[in-house]
RNA sequence: GCGAAAGUGGCGGAAUUGGCAGACGCACCAGACUUAGGAUCUGGCGGGGAAACCCAUGAGGGUUCGAGUCCCUCCUUUCGCACCA
């Protein structure tokens, strides 16, 4: 009975034991200083929001990162594998409202709970570098950066229309509005409000952020494309049309100035200041304009701005084309956006689909000004939007190609001062003010005498008041705390008001990975020398949902820090990997769908190793993963087979430690061959392909082979040193995926030290090589049979073997073999007529 | 509408360069051991057929000795963008 009990794999017995040992030995997962002499490797997973519960998406993300980190440790690298908490944000305030718990307490309790979950999963983090963004020793540096950026003109304050989420009761950045809805509440429509707000001048880096994407070849093309779209660079021309009578200028932006002789109207956005002025003098127009504004707003809220029907109204005013002097009507239209370009366009219905649609509807003249470049061909139908053509009906510019005309027209405009070549970006400055309590206080003071006064560095950090009543009413909660608000002006010493907005939490996550390199530094955000050693990040791993948000802010912040001479790298991460979602029953796991699987349940039932290994086994890491609990049970059974096998033959393996090399029999050769093939396969995958699902499958195959050889093993037919190599290497291969079981078996095999410090096995190609091959033989491309030949058999020998085969002879009898194709090592194909 | 990725057994998935389709696992079936089994072990498991064989990777065409893989047309799903002038 005793032996039987010993042969049961029980993760509940193994895992807590090692968890305790690892907790007592923080050096195991600790990064070493640069002086260690090893090559460095920085592997980073996106830090979680401390909701209090890890979800399966985290488990998957962290299992991938941990496997990589463990592999790199075994490869002899100095690995930095840190973890932290994106700890500011609204849920803490909501929880405070609901449970009357202070946000700080709630957050810190959640962090403790999630840290326990991570430790239970056996994730190998360097907790000495832990970063918690809601603590003053971290957000101090948010404030410090804010002031440095203010000094460089990268922070400014302006009154503008901003996105307001009624649910969050705060302002959102453009990036945080998805289809007119809040990124955190996809059923909450974002409103537009006019407010005075703080902005980061991310547009100053628009061109560099765009250019840098070309060099980020370790990032998924998908993410790069999304960022390119978001930045939205567009080259064109600005041209002034003059309002007839008043002489006011309407500046339009166009990418097709070559078509300007075809402009038969000028179209303005309903919110264009000139329209506001026109409407003020024309009550009937005002009614129409207000309707258009309302319509645009509704479309924006519905998220289908592109789908609304185009319409507009003539203002009764006219404007003059600066090139031709032609008089064209000024319209206001619902398809013109105030926040792109200049909020005004020249409408060229002959050469633009949208203008064509509009002009057709309202009977505005449609004129051809671009003809086919090939004079012999028929004129293409309008609207003709190609830039491959020549100008017609364009006065002195007739006959020029589109490209040549654009250049010439731009020169003329610049020369005469009514326009210029220009570049427009869709990217807008990053609005960072939030009217919330649980965030980094913005370190500015409003003084009636001195205006905006930065908080002096020596007064940082501006600490959040700990006790504050959280309510749902609008406005910054900090504004209701007199001891926070009332300060003396650093300049004049008079009474002043402290800024009460806090920073967007994306500020926190824009640079946290730099802080990891020097997390305890009290005098600066980090030591540039230490960050210089670790950066750039070698591998960043996270969800694709941050392709625009976090990942563009982080790139911006890196460039700012570089320009502050804190770092020398231009980009934060050399390689980025975006893992797929975890879904269940065809839908993303979510509370509302009731299909959430708790990591704690999985760990309690099957152990951390099985849970993690299933997360890697069930699908390739970049694809969505369908969570099936039976699959976890399957992995758990597999780990049980490994355990029993290793325990059964551990004594033989130990005896093999002293064993001398000896003559190998066929069984041993076959097992060693499989072992070395498996080693090669897994090593290769870690080097780039990352199909960890097939790595786990390969280990399963190896174990199946070992199990099939059980009789030989039991009879002692496999020499002890071979048994030792087999089991030892099996445990090493398993170590990145199942850390607990590997640690346990490593000790059971009598190996000294931690398996994490053992060198990664090296595959010997000579041992991995097959000596005999099964070569499929086809007739006319269809498989007929398989012949066994030596691995190094010549094409001639394979051909001979194929022709000698009974089945082949039967099938070719009486027919002509026209041709024989032999691919050495692969197959033979007979073309038979 | 534009762009990208994907579509393979009952299910998750494999097939890295055009070369034995279905590795590995789940589920299921049969058997062994057992007082018992959510344990373990052995075998089976795409479809048709008694078999020889035939058919099969979303659909249809093509290139090739040979196509899941390359090309063309179409369908479906997911994701991103969407009056950006």
């Amino acid at each position: 009975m005793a032996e039987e009990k010993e042969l049961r794999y029980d993760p509940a017995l193994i895992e807590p034991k090692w968890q305790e040992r690892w907790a007592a030995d923080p050096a195991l997962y600790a990064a070493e200083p640069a002086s260690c002499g090893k090559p460095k490797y920085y592997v980073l997973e996106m830090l979680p929001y401390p909701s209090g519960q890890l979800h399966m998406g985290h488990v998957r993300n962290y299992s991938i990162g941990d496997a990589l980190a463990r592999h790199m440790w075994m490869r002899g690298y100095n690995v930095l594998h840190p973890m932290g908490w994106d700890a500011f944000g609204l849920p803490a305030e909501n929880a405070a409202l609901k449970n009357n718990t202070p946000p700080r307490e709630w957050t810190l309790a959640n962090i403790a709970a999630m840290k326990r979950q991570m430790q239970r999963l056996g994730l190998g983090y360097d907790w000495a570098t832990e970063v918690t963004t809601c603590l003053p020793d971290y957000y101090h540096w948010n404030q410090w950066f804010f002031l440095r950026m203010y000094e460089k003109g990268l922070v400014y304050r302006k009154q503008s229309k901003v996105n307001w989420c009624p649910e969050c009761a705060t302002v959102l950045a453009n990036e945080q509005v998805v289809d007119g809805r809040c990124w955190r509440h996809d059923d909450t429509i974002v409103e537009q409000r006019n407010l005075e707000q703080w902005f980061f001048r991310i547009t100053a880096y628009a061109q560099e952020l765009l250019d840098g994407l070309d060099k980020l070849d370790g990032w998924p093309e998908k993410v790069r494309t999304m960022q390119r779209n978001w930045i939205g660079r567009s080259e064109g021309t600005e041209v002034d049309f003059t309002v007839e009578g008043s002489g006011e200028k309407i500046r339009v932006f166009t990418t097709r100035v070559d078509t300007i002789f075809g402009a038969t109207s000028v179209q303005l956005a309903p919110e264009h200041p000139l329209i506001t002025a026109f409407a003020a003098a024309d009550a009937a127009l005002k009614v129409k304009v207000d309707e258009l504004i309302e319509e645009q707003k509704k479309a924006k809220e519905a998220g289908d701005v592109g789908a609304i029907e185009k319409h507009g109204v003539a203002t009764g005013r006219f404007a003059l084309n600066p090139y031709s002097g032609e008089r064209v009507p000024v319209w206001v239209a619902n398809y013109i956006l105030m926040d792109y370009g200049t909020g005004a366009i020249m409408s060229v219905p002959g050469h633009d689909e949208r203008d064509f649609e509009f002009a057709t509807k309202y009977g505005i003249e449609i004129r051809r000004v671009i003809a086919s470049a090939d004079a012999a061909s028929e004129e293409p139908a309008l609207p003709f939007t190609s830039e491959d053509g020549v100008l017609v009906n364009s006065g002195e510019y007739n006959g020029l190609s589109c490209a040549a005309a654009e250049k010439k027209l731009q020169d003329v405009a610049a020369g005469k001062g009514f326009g210029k070549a220009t570049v427009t970006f869709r990217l807008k400055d990053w609005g960072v003010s939030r009217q919330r309590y649980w965030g980094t206080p913005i370190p500015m003071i409003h003084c009636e005498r001195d205006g905006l006064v930065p908080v002096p560095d020596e007064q940082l950090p501006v600490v959040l008041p700990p006790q504050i009543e959280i309510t749902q009413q609008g406005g910054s909660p900090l504004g209701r705390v007199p001891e926070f608000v009332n300060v003396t002006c650093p300049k004049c010493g008079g009474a002043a008001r402290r800024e009460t907005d806090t920073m967007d939490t994306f500020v926190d996550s824009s640079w946290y990975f730099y802080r990891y390199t020097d997390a305890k530094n009290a005098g600066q955000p980090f030591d540039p020398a230490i960050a210089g050693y670790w950066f750039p990040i070698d591998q960043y791993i996270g969800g694709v949902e941050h392709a625009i948000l976090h990942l563009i802010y982080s790139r911006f912040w890196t460039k700012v820090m570089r320009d502050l001479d804190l770092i020398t790298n231009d980009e934060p991460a050399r390689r980025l990997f975006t893992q797929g979602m975890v879904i269940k029953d065809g839908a993303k796991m979510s509370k509302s769908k009731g299909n959430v699987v708790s990591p704690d349940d999985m760990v309690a039932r099957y152990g951390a190793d099985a849970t993690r290994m299933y997360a890697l086994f069930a699908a390739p890491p970049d694809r969505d993963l369908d969570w099936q609990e039976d699959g976890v049970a399957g992995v758990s059974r597999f780990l049980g087979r490994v355990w029993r096998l290793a325990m059964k033959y551990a004594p033989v393996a130990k005896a093999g430690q002293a064993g001398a090399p000896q003559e190998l029999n066929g069984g041993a050769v076959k097992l060693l061959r499989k072992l070395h093939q498996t080693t090669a396969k897994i090593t290769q995958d870690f080097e780039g392909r990352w199909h960890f699902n097939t790595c786990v499958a390969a280990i399963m195959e190896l174990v199946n082979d070992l199990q099939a050889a059980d009789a030989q093993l039991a009879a002692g037919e496999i020499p002890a040193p071979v048994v030792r190599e087999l089991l030892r290497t099996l445990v090493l291969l398993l170590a990145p995926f199942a850390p607990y079981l590997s640690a346990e078996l490593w000790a059971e095999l009598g190996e000294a030290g931690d398996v994490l410090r053992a060198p990664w096995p090296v595959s010997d190609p000579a041992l991995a090589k097959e000596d005999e091959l099964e070569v499929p033989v086809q007739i006319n491309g269809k498989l007929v049979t398989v012949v066994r030949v030596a691995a190094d058999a010549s094409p001639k020998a394979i051909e001979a073997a194929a022709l000698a085969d009974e089945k082949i002879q039967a099938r070719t009898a009486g027919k002509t073999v026209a041709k024989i194709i032999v691919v050495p090592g692969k197959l033979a194909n007979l073309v038979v007529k």
Side-chain angles (χ1 to χ4, degrees):
Chain A
M1 269 299 131
E3 293 108 285
E4 241 173 70
K5 194 172 180 198
E6 202 170 292
L7 281 176
R8 249 194 72 203
Y9 167 60
D10 186 359
L13 233 51
I14 296 169
E15 296 184 350
K17 180 177 77 190
W18 286 97
Q19 193 189 326
E20 220 170 280
R21 284 195 207 176
W22 293 337
D25 178 19
L28 188 62
Y29 301 121
E32 297 174 65
S35 58
C36 72
K38 298 175 192 170
K40 71 95 184 176
Y41 197 87
Y42 188 173
V43 53
L44 178 71
E45 298 117 53
M46 289 182 184
L47 87 176
Y49 177 79
S51 63
Q53 271 285 315
L54 282 184
H55 55 69
M56 279 303 171
H58 292 129
V59 172
R60 189 179 193 199
N61 188 174
Y62 303 153
S63 298
I64 295 167
D66 200 45
L68 178 65
R70 284 172 190 275
H71 175 75
M72 295 314 280
W73 267 308
M74 294 173 80
R75 293 283 285 264
Y77 284 80
N78 179 23
V79 177
L80 175 57
H81 189 217
M83 185 43 70
W85 312 98
D86 187 14
F88 271 137
L90 203 51
E93 290 183 53
N94 293 337
L97 210 59
K98 210 169 137 191
N99 315 321
N100 204 26
T101 326
R104 183 189 154 101
E105 269 177 39
W106 182 83
T107 304
L108 295 181
N110 285 350
I111 288 174
M114 287 172 78
K115 190 167 171 177
R116 268 198 304 279
Q117 287 183 297
M118 287 182 179
Q119 287 171 327
R120 181 64 191 82
L121 280 165
L123 298 167
Y125 294 123
D126 182 356
W127 290 109
T129 67
E130 181 178 0
V131 163
T132 304
T133 63
C134 67
L135 299 180
D137 72 329
Y138 184 79
Y139 69 71
H140 179 160
W141 304 108
N142 285 345
Q143 295 170 342
W144 185 88
F145 279 120
F146 188 98
L147 295 173
R148 298 293 84 75
M149 287 161 77
Y150 183 72
E151 289 159 6
K152 297 197 82 156
L154 291 170
V155 168
Y156 65 96
R157 191 170 160 79
K158 77 169 178 197
Q159 171 94 15
S160 82
K161 199 183 290 170
V162 290
N163 310 299
W164 178 270
C165 173
E167 190 66 29
C168 301
T170 187
V171 159
L172 300 177
N174 287 342
E175 287 79 5
Q176 292 153 29
V177 180
V178 181
D179 289 338
R181 283 137 208 271
C182 172
W183 70 293
R184 296 189 53 246
H185 307 101
D186 47 15
D187 49 358
T188 305
I189 287 164
V190 170
E191 300 165 4
Q192 302 295 307
R193 287 198 184 180
N194 242 326
L195 284 174
E196 179 125 10
Q197 294 288 295
W198 290 97
F199 288 87
F200 285 162
R201 205 179 295 279
I202 191 171
T203 54
Y205 288 88
Q207 188 63 50
E208 204 197 330
L209 286 168
L210 181 66
D211 292 341
L213 292 172
D214 294 333
K215 287 172 243 154
L216 282 176
D217 52 8
W219 283 38
E221 195 50 57
K222 181 188 166 90
V223 172
R224 294 198 280 167
T225 304
M226 284 167 73
Q227 293 208 357
R228 270 189 208 105
N229 289 341
W230 186 258
I231 294 167
R233 183 183 199 274
S234 164
E235 286 180 22
T237 313
E238 286 182 3
V239 178
D240 290 332
F241 281 63
T242 309
V243 178
E244 193 186 40
S246 74
E248 288 159 300
K249 306 288 186 203
I250 302 173
R251 174 149 285 211
V252 304
F253 174 72
T254 176
T255 54
R256 291 299 305 276
V257 73
D258 54 306
T259 65
I260 197 164
F261 281 78
T264 51
S265 68
V266 170
Q267 304 281 344
L268 305 195
E271 288 170 307
H272 196 284
L274 211 49
I275 293 297
T276 313
F278 290 170
D282 181 343
L285 181 63
K286 182 159 182 6
V287 172
K288 286 286 193 183
V289 168
D290 287 347
E291 269 175 35
L292 293 172
I293 291 174
E294 190 55 31
E295 224 177 70
Q296 270 192 341
K297 204 172 132 192
K298 279 214 180 106
K300 203 166 184 183
E301 285 170 355
D304 54 357
V305 185
I308 59 169
E309 201 190 328
K310 295 181 187 29
H311 59 110
V313 59
T315 61
R317 313 288 185 119
F318 290 83
L320 303 177
N321 183 324
Y323 291 98
S324 63
E326 183 180 359
R327 183 173 175 268
V328 296
V330 176
W331 285 64
V332 51
N334 66 344
Y335 72 102
I336 310 302
L337 308 172
M338 192 55 225
D339 55 8
Y340 183 79
T342 60
I345 66 151
M346 60 178 204
S347 176
V348 184
H351 302 281
D352 182 282
E353 310 238 2
R354 296 153 303 183
D355 296 344
F356 183 86
E357 188 187 331
F358 192 85
T360 307
K361 179 166 176 177
Y362 289 103
I364 299 171
E365 184 194 346
I366 298 166
R367 186 187 304 163
R368 176 186 299 280
V369 290
I370 306 291
S372 165
D374 175 9
S377 74
E378 215 173 290
E379 280 311 333
L382 297 180
F384 176 55
T385 56
S386 164
E387 286 175 64
D388 185 18
V390 295
L391 274 68
V392 294
N393 299 326
S394 298
E396 60 188 292
Y397 304 94
N398 281 341
L400 289 177
S401 72
C402 291
E406 181 181 37
K407 180 79 182 63
K408 194 161 175 191
L409 287 157
Q410 285 174 343
D411 289 348
V412 168
K416 296 198 175 162
F418 62 74
K420 58 172 190 201
T422 183
V423 175
T424 300
F425 289 95
R426 203 184 82 125
L427 181 71
K428 296 281 173 273
D429 279 336
W430 174 11
V432 293
S433 294
R434 295 292 179 271
Q435 293 70 43
R436 302 303 327 165
Y437 162 69
W438 194 231
T440 305
I442 289 176
M444 296 297 278
I445 290 166
H446 303 267
C447 172
E448 293 220 350
R449 238 183 74 181
D450 298 309
L452 278 174
V453 181
V455 174
D457 279 3
E458 57 275 12
Q459 289 180 23
L460 296 184
V462 177
V463 178
L464 276 176
Q467 294 297 335
I468 166 169
E469 199 200 342
I470 307 281
T471 64
Q472 199 115 52
Q473 55 191 270
S476 298
L478 288 173
R480 295 188 290 273
V481 185
E483 54 279 27
F484 179 83
V485 175
N486 298 323
V487 286
T488 52
C489 169
K491 258 194 193 162
C492 67
R497 273 183 64 84
R498 196 185 284 288
E499 169 66 55
T500 57
D501 281 358
T502 50
M503 295 184 206
D504 183 3
T505 57
F506 279 101
V507 169
D508 309 328
S509 54
S510 290
W511 69 280
Y512 73 101
F513 33 75
Y514 290 94
R515 182 73 179 172
Y516 282 144
T517 65
D518 192 16
K520 300 284 188 287
N521 199 320
Q524 50 186 340
F526 52 83
D527 180 339
I530 301 177
Y533 169 71
W534 286 108
F535 269 80
I537 296 159
D538 293 280
Q539 183 69 62
Y540 198 12
I541 307 165
V544 75
E545 64 274 14
H546 287 112
I548 299 297
L549 296 154
H550 163 59
L551 289 170
I552 211 161
Y553 296 142
S554 299
R555 293 184 59 225
F556 161 64
W557 208 278
T558 287
K559 291 171 196 304
V560 170
M561 292 198 308
R562 179 203 58 199
D563 293 346
L564 290 169
D565 291 324
L566 285 169
I567 51 171
T568 53
N569 50 298
D570 296 318
E571 296 287 348
R574 207 189 300 276
R575 285 166 55 87
L576 170 71
F577 186 88
T578 51
Q579 94 266 6
M581 281 188 310
V582 178
I583 56 178
K584 179 145 195 295
D585 310 322
K588 187 179 173 173
M589 278 190 192
S590 74
K591 264 187 218 154
S592 58
K593 297 209 177 70
N595 60 351
V596 175
V597 178
S598 143
D600 285 347
D601 281 1
M602 289 296 117
V603 170
R605 251 180 264 184
Y606 304 101
D609 279 343
T611 304
R612 295 175 50 161
M613 208 157 157
Y614 175 74
L616 296 173
F617 176 62
D622 56 327
R623 294 246 292 263
D624 285 350
L625 180 151
D626 189 57
W627 195 271
Q628 296 183 2
E629 191 173 328
D630 285 338
V632 190
V635 171
S636 165
R637 279 198 290 271
F638 163 70
L639 292 175
R641 284 201 295 279
V642 173
W643 198 81
R644 282 188 299 277
L645 186 80
M647 294 303 276
K648 188 167 172 190
Y649 296 108
V652 183
K654 279 189 200 165
Q657 281 179 353
Q662 45 187 293
E663 201 66 12
L664 298 181
N665 54 32
V669 167
K670 265 175 76 173
L671 290 175
L672 281 174
R673 183 183 300 141
K674 184 72 179 177
L675 183 76
H676 283 260
Q677 288 172 348
T678 309
T679 303
K681 190 253 177 309
I682 295 173
T683 305
Q684 240 178 52
D685 257 299
F686 269 112
E687 282 165 4
R689 210 170 72 119
W690 277 34
H691 279 198
F692 299 131
N693 55 329
T694 61
C695 290
V696 175
I699 299 174
M700 288 173 169
E701 281 188 55
L702 172 64
V703 171
N704 288 349
D705 279 12
L706 288 170
Q707 210 169 317
D710 187 62
Q712 287 174 61
L713 283 162
E717 286 168 25
I718 308 296
V722 173
V723 174
R724 175 169 182 258
E725 188 189 341
L726 289 166
L727 293 184
R728 203 178 169 276
T729 309
L730 170 64
V731 170
L732 292 173
L733 294 176
L734 211 51
F737 309 111
Y740 286 116
L741 180 61
S742 340
E744 176 79 8
L745 293 180
W746 192 245
E748 290 290 348
L749 291 175
E751 300 286 348
D754 196 283
V755 68
L756 201 63
R757 293 284 177 265
W760 185 254
V762 177
S763 172
D764 180 345
L767 288 174
K769 195 167 176 280
E770 300 281 352
D771 52 2
E772 232 187 9
L773 286 179
E774 291 194 338
V775 176
V777 182
Q778 302 177 331
I779 288 180
N780 296 335
K782 291 204 169 176
L783 180 72
V784 173
T785 187
V786 171
V787 293
R788 289 198 70 89
V789 296
D792 53 0
S794 67
K796 269 243 149 68
I798 295 173
E799 186 179 321
L803 288 171
D805 184 86
E806 276 177 30
K807 274 187 172 170
I808 295 295
Q809 292 202 337
R811 296 271 201 117
T812 54
K815 293 178 181 154
T816 321
V817 179
K819 196 175 168 188
I820 302 179
I821 292 138
V822 178
V823 183
K826 289 282 187 192
L827 61 30
N829 187 17
L830 282 62
V831 184
V832 173
K833 284 176 188 161

